[in-house]
Amino acid sequence: MKISIDVDMSPQEARELFGWPDLSKLHETTLSALNEQLAGGNQEALLEMLKPYLSNSQNAFSMYQKFFENMATQGQKK
């Protein structure tokens, strides 16, 4: 037996239901500060903000690459 329940609610309603904080003001403040930095010619602000995400992405890509290389070399040995 399979039972499905669909709940139609906005993100705001979901946050209130689960008791999560409303970070929209923080989000707006951060984006406006970033826009001011970029408008002032500071292109490095965006790179600094994205640096942790980009380095982790590179690490994940390297891990997948090694995984597939290992699979290929083990397939050639057999």
Side-chain angles (χ1 to χ4, degrees):
M1 179 190 322
K2 188 174 186 180
I3 298 173
S4 297
I5 299 174
D6 292 328
V7 179
D8 185 20
M9 66 175 67
S10 69
Q12 178 66 32
E13 292 169 334
R15 279 193 297 272
E16 291 172 1
L17 178 67
F18 293 113
W20 294 337
D22 183 10
L23 300 176
S24 59
K25 297 227 190 268
L26 175 65
H27 184 318
E28 290 171 13
T29 304
T30 304
L31 286 180
S32 67
L34 180 61
N35 283 334
E36 288 175 15
Q37 292 277 335
L38 292 174
N42 186 2
Q43 300 294 323
E44 295 168 1
L46 181 61
L47 292 175
E48 285 298 317
M49 188 177 95
L50 294 175
K51 191 181 233 179
Y53 301 106
L54 296 175
S55 67
N56 289 337
S57 296
Q58 182 62 35
N59 292 339
F61 177 75
S62 297
M63 184 179 69
Y64 282 119
Q65 185 177 17
K66 288 177 187 176
F67 173 74
F68 286 114
E69 286 174 356
N70 288 337
M71 284 179 40
T73 56
Q74 289 195 5
Q76 291 175 350
K77 290 179 183 178
K78 294 182 180 179

